């Protein structure tokens, strides 16, 4: 199934199902008014939603309409927890050099993960208001999963079975603020403003063989102001999503609707480019001896779209956002 | 006004107003079914709630009943964000020694704060299920505030004016896991299981002169298994709550219902005792050369109650919890 959320002025928006071809949609309110409601009552609503999805796909769903992904909010406008890992070790090792921070202990064997704000997610076409260009405005292209309820102490295998949906996201980051927050040991807070999501959240089966080994086996194409920036592949994730969820659930239970992110998609091959500016900058420093790329300016745009290995566009739709000055910005 | 939330099987519980003397309560459902709903519609519900509160205090509220604080959930069973500072510098400096972590940069001038899980708060009498005694089970007695909506970039003064409620809480902590998570730079995650709250959340005016300088000017009495552990005073907080909220809102807006914690209440005077075990342990090491106190065991209880400077019990009620082995605990 493919889900999206239309903006309707409510805190959770209006849930729609999106057809497999991405062209049509139908309101799911008779079954579940919002995606968070559907996730909280998944066992009860799963079959009725499947039925509605199939009727949409064959053109028989009453009230179906043309789907406009640019009218969408994030699939979840808010969620119970947003936990973002750094599961591409290539990215993490480069960022240690970029930030000049000490090596993360046990980085190869224990996932690292920060808790982000989950009350104010951005939609795929929303402007991104930020207070200052001097903060080092950067994007981070990622994949993520949305869980059902996960009991405390779940194994990685049991945790992987709790995945309900797969999402594509941009973990907006402020690089001038990150290193200080890492050095405090308390983790990212000001360095992580609201996170943005591609319009369509999908059940893993919609990916076919591209959902494999608990990873999203797709390339994430990133463009900055219309120019190619990179298209790293999700298959190089060093921990699978079940391991990440189990890490999060080691001492707490996770509520239905918890989102777990992969961290910036990153490949060892330089040819793949990058899914964040900070990584390109440190690669420039390593490879050519100087940083040549600045961070984003107000008015800049970033576009992200996942594609299958055969080049076909993926089911998540497009994140295409513009950075703007927040009220009172410097 | 004084608010509490009764458990009723729903995700947000049932909002009640509690009388000023703490003996009586009345359901507020006709005005706002839950505390989060009241906070989201504060301008609309504030006066009707005030009217209901005054009728409760004079004994004329229809349907009023005896208030049983032990039947309460946390005032907010879940909230949009839970941001916990470390605003008592005395505690922070001792913890650097306890954890053997590097000095926090700019600790005197820039607040530190981690983002905690806000989807699964514990009530004041709830058992605390945890996976292992080997994790170093500890309590942290704190004060906190609940905000209305806070715009990005709010000044400390404007942020302080966004305080809607004051709360008392126990930030449960796992000390064997904290130092590693600090060293990753990503902050606390496994080290911070569900946080617990005293039953009654109050508007600041209920504290009279004990709400002063953006701080809670009260002692937090802590008992472990019935024995006195400490009663540090909230007035020694090095940053006021407006500064903490403004720090959190530097690059994001905060949704109504965001909770900001003080960090462990801690005083320079050794006579005050401590509000967490880790602090007592490092004081033992400093003062007598060896650690004599262990962390909590399954079956242990901790009790926390705030009192005014004249010794009178405060309006938040009592946190009194027992630590128990989670299913599958080691």
């Amino acid at each position: 199934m493919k889900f999206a959320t239309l903006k309707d002025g409510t805190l959770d928006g209006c849930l729609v199902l999106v057809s497999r071809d991405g062209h049509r949609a139908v309101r799911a309110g008779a079954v579940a008014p919002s995606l968070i409601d559907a996730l909280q009552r998944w066992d009860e609503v799963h079959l009725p939603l499947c039925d509605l999805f199939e009727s949409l796909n064959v053109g028989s769903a009453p009230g179906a309409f043309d789907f406009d992904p640019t009218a969408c909010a994030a699939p979840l406008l808010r969620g119970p927890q947003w936990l973002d890992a750094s599961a591409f070790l290539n990215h993490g090792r480069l960022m240690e050099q970029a930030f000049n921070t000490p090596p993360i202990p046990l980085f190869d064997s224990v996932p690292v993960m920060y808790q982000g704000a989950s009350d104010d997610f951005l939609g795929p076409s929303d402007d991104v208001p930020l207070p200052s260009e001097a903060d080092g405005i950067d994007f981070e292209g990622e994949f993520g999963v949305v869980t059902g309820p996960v009991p405390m102490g779940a194994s990685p295998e049991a945790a992987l079975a709790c995945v309900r949906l797969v999402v594509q996201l941009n973990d907006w980051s402020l690089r001038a603020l990150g290193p200080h927050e890492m050095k405090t040991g308390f983790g990212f807070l000001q360095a992580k403003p609201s996170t943005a999501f591609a319009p369509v959240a999908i059940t893993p089966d919609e990916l076919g063989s591209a959902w494999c080994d608990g990873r999203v086996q797709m390339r994430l194409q990133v463009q900055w102001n219309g120019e190619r920036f990179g298209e790293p592949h999700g298959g190089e994730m060093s921990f699978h999503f079940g391991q990440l969820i189990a890490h999060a659930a080691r001492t707490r239970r996770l509520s239905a609707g918890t989102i777990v992110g992969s961290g910036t998609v990153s490949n060892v091959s330089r040819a793949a480019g990058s899914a964040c500016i900070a990584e390109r900058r440190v690669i420039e420093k390593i490879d050519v001896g100087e940083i040549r790329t600045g961070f984003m300016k107000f008015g800049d745009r970033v576009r992200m779209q996942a594609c299958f290995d055969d080049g076909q566009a993926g089911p998540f739709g497009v994140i295409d956002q513009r950075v703007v000055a927040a009220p009172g910005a410097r």
Side-chain angles (χ1 to χ4, degrees), chain A:
Chain A
M1 282 184 285
K2 299 171 61 172
F3 297 96
T5 296
L6 299 180
K7 298 175 183 179
D8 67 353
T10 66
L11 289 169
D12 292 307
C14 166
L15 179 63
V16 299
L17 282 161
V18 179
S19 62
R20 197 160 275 133
D21 66 9
H23 296 325
R24 302 282 284 171
V26 65
R27 288 173 191 270
V31 183
S34 65
L35 185 53
I36 189 67
D37 177 68
L39 289 159
Q40 287 164 346
R41 298 188 297 120
W42 191 256
D43 291 344
E44 178 187 344
V45 303
H46 180 250
L47 279 180
L49 288 171
C50 283
D51 289 344
L52 184 58
F53 182 58
E54 289 314 324
S55 70
L56 176 67
N57 286 322
V58 298
S60 66
F65 53 92
D66 287 344
F67 178 58
D68 177 8
T70 66
C72 287
L76 290 166
L77 280 75
R78 54 179 183 162
Q81 291 194 54
W82 158 227
L83 300 159
D84 199 13
S86 180
F88 289 86
L89 297 189
N90 185 63
H91 172 75
R93 294 294 182 212
L94 287 169
M95 292 303 289
E96 287 168 3
Q97 296 179 62
F99 280 0
N100 194 26
T101 46
I104 294 173
L106 304 176
F107 192 42
D108 294 343
S109 54
V110 180
V112 294
M113 190 175 285
Y114 80 91
Q115 182 123 22
S118 60
D119 62 328
D120 188 29
F121 293 132
L122 296 172
S125 307
D126 290 347
D127 281 346
V128 185
L130 290 172
S132 174
E133 290 177 343
D135 289 341
I137 301 168
D138 199 357
F139 44 84
E140 290 198 348
E142 307 190 9
F143 295 109
V145 295
V146 183
T147 75
V150 182
M152 187 189 298
S155 69
E157 296 69 31
L160 190 59
C162 294
V163 170
R164 294 278 190 264
L165 302 172
V166 185
V167 293
Q168 178 204 318
L169 62 102
N170 179 3
D171 177 41
W172 284 100
S173 295
L174 300 172
R175 301 303 188 185
L177 307 177
H180 168 76
E181 293 190 326
M182 291 190 83
K183 283 172 191 153
T184 69
F186 278 57
F188 303 117
L189 193 95
Q190 294 182 339
K192 296 291 185 180
S194 289
T195 303
F197 288 80
V200 183
I202 60 171
T203 48
D205 57 292
E206 296 295 326
L207 290 179
S209 62
W211 175 250
C212 179
D213 295 331
R215 294 163 172 87
V216 180
Q217 308 283 348
M218 300 176 74
R219 292 199 171 276
L220 187 58
Q221 295 177 322
V222 180
Q223 293 180 323
W224 178 13
N225 291 334
E227 293 189 6
R228 179 260 186 195
F229 198 80
E231 56 287 303
H233 196 276
E236 272 189 44
M237 196 160 80
S238 306
F239 300 97
H240 67 67
F241 277 110
Q243 291 171 295
L244 301 182
I245 299 166
H247 181 84
R250 159 86 164 75
T251 62
R252 63 178 70 175
R253 58 185 179 184
L254 308 182
S255 304
T258 293
I259 304 169
V260 177
S262 66
T264 307
V265 179
S266 177
N267 293 167
V268 171
S269 165
R270 293 285 202 258
S274 295
C276 77
I277 299 172
E279 189 178 298
R280 173 184 278 193
R281 284 163 56 93
V282 72
I283 288 173
E284 287 172 346
K285 195 170 174 189
I286 294 166
D287 289 358
V288 301
E290 62 175 11
I291 295 169
R292 293 175 176 176
T293 305
F295 289 111
M296 295 183 87
K297 303 290 184 191
F298 295 141
D300 280 9
R301 301 193 73 93
V302 67
R303 184 184 193 279
M304 298 181 180
Q305 182 171 29
C307 68
F308 291 106
D309 286 347
D310 64 3
Q312 191 191 336
F316 305 105
V318 173
I319 296 176
D320 188 355
Q321 292 185 283
R322 181 181 58 161
V323 176
V324 299
R330 291 169 291 130

